[in-house]
Amino acid sequence: MQASILIVSKNRKAELEFTLQVLKRIVDLSKNEILVFLDGCEDESTLLLDKFRWVKWFSVEKSIGASAARHILYPKAKGQFLIGLDDDAHPLQSDFINRTVTAFTKYPNAGIIAFQEIKGIFNSDKDALTKIESPEEEYFTNDFIGCGFAIRKEVYKVTNGFPVWIDIYGEESCVAIEVIAIGYDIVFSNTVKINHRVDKEARKRSGMNYFRFGKQLKNTTYYYMVYYRNPLFKILKLYWHNFRKYSLTDIVCFKIFFKVVVEVFLNIPKILKYRKPVDSKIINKMNKMVSIKY
């Protein structure tokens, strides 16, 4: 099996259906497979099982969070390369798998290839591609975006995988630091492009930005607690930055901030069970790398 395409979805039937329709047109299922995990969906997502019988479906009745769902789903893949997509993201090139394999061949020490994300809702894929008129660009980086990336299966297997101690937002950074810590590289390549079909204004109106603020603050705290030998300074710096920049200017963020502080304090014993500090040289190496453009 050449590649496994893996998607976790929760209550986004229309978005998932669109993505699967695109994949059906461009993926050779004799060489590749598509796996989908329904994370406690309460909409009609399960109706897609009959419509897309060629998909390998997995599900849980009660939501466990995107990261924990990935933790269950990824070991079930048989492909040499594991390609992660969000349910509202699809490849803009029909040969995206070949492009991915080419990138891994070009960089034999690459554990992860990070794809280029093009955000927005467009009339066509051609229209989406015209929004990015940059020449071929590839560089070593310290992270990747979960809506579009690929990881070698052999590399994923020697990490702890996606963390079960994070629900959503920030789980990619955990995999990234473990991949770099065991000696592999992360390479950003815009030769593979993904359209992340996000309506930024609609997301803002729905309150998703507040949701993201709380999750990222909490999960970044956990990230430092697990992977840094001396995390206190980084955590205090994180909290001061978020308090000054967001909480002092927005009453909703103010409330979320203190709710997160209490939640983190109560969960310290649980998170410390997963503590796995990496060498400070790894942290320094990652800090000197070019960060991926979100």
Side-chain angles (χ1 to χ4, degrees):
M1 188 73 66
Q2 184 179 41
S4 298
I5 301 166
L6 302 112
I7 301 171
V8 168
S9 183
K10 179 183 178 182
N11 295 334
R12 292 203 287 200
K13 175 180 177 288
E15 291 87 344
L16 176 60
E17 184 172 8
F18 184 97
T19 297
L20 292 177
Q21 287 173 338
V22 172
L23 294 174
K24 183 179 181 181
R25 294 196 301 267
I26 63 177
V27 174
D28 182 352
L29 293 174
S30 68
K31 299 179 181 178
N32 310 286
E33 62 176 359
I34 298 172
L35 293 76
V36 176
F37 190 103
L38 299 180
D39 180 30
C41 293
E42 297 176 345
D43 61 358
E44 297 183 331
S45 292
T46 54
L47 296 178
L48 298 177
L49 275 69
D50 285 332
K51 186 171 184 178
F52 300 99
R53 291 180 177 273
W54 42 270
V55 171
K56 296 180 180 179
W57 294 95
F58 303 89
S59 65
V60 289
E61 292 186 4
K62 185 176 180 181
S63 176
I64 58 175
S67 187
R70 282 173 167 166
H71 186 86
I72 293 174
L73 183 62
Y74 276 57
K76 299 182 184 298
K78 298 178 180 178
Q80 180 182 359
F81 304 106
L82 312 183
I83 298 176
L85 297 176
D86 277 0
D87 54 10
D88 60 350
H90 68 275
L92 290 171
Q93 299 128 319
S94 60
D95 62 341
F96 75 102
I97 293 177
N98 288 337
R99 288 171 178 263
T100 300
V101 174
T102 297
F104 276 118
T105 302
K106 184 177 179 180
Y107 299 95
N109 196 54
I112 296 174
I113 301 295
F115 303 156
Q116 179 163 31
E117 175 194 32
I118 301 176
K119 284 185 178 179
I121 299 174
F122 305 96
N123 293 326
S124 67
D125 289 352
K126 184 177 180 180
D127 188 24
L129 286 168
T130 62
K131 302 302 178 182
I132 304 293
E133 298 180 353
S134 58
E136 183 175 316
E137 182 182 20
E138 294 177 333
Y139 55 81
F140 295 104
T141 185
N142 53 19
D143 210 347
F144 64 96
I145 301 173
C147 74
F149 72 97
I151 183 170
R152 296 182 193 269
K153 182 179 180 179
E154 63 189 61
V155 173
Y156 185 81
K157 287 173 65 177
V158 294
T159 70
N160 288 315
F162 283 97
V164 296
W165 42 271
I166 280 181
D167 41 17
I168 188 170
Y169 297 132
E171 64 268 27
E172 299 93 342
S173 297
C174 301
V175 177
I177 194 171
E178 292 196 18
V179 166
I180 292 175
I182 58 178
Y184 288 93
D185 299 319
I186 301 175
V187 176
F188 168 83
S189 176
N190 69 352
T191 62
V192 186
K193 295 179 173 63
I194 301 295
N195 178 202
H196 193 188
R197 305 183 306 274
V198 175
D199 185 332
K200 296 181 182 179
E201 290 303 316
R203 178 169 287 190
K204 185 176 181 179
R205 291 193 299 270
S206 70
M208 279 299 296
N209 287 347
Y210 289 124
F211 178 79
R212 182 186 291 266
F213 170 74
K215 292 294 185 182
Q216 289 185 329
L217 180 61
K218 180 184 69 173
N219 293 337
T220 302
T221 306
Y222 293 164
Y223 173 86
Y224 290 142
M225 290 171 62
V226 171
Y227 295 111
Y228 277 61
R229 293 190 183 280
N230 300 294
L232 183 59
F233 175 75
K234 290 292 293 186
I235 293 173
L236 292 175
K237 186 177 179 181
L238 169 73
Y239 279 35
W240 172 242
H241 168 77
N242 280 274
F243 182 76
R244 183 178 59 180
K245 186 174 181 179
Y246 302 107
S247 300
L248 288 179
T249 59
D250 189 314
I251 186 61
V252 177
C253 286
F254 184 87
K255 293 177 180 178
I256 293 172
F257 180 90
F258 284 100
K259 181 180 179 181
V260 168
V261 170
V262 172
E263 186 175 354
V264 166
F265 180 78
L266 294 176
N267 281 331
I268 287 176
K270 173 185 173 183
I271 300 303
L272 291 181
K273 293 179 182 178
Y274 298 99
R275 186 164 165 76
K276 186 183 177 183
V278 302
D279 194 294
S280 58
K281 293 179 181 178
I282 299 298
I283 304 294
N284 293 333
K285 177 183 177 180
M286 294 180 68
N287 289 338
K288 292 176 181 178
M289 290 179 174
V290 178
S291 295
I292 198 167
K293 302 166 187 174
Y294 291 94

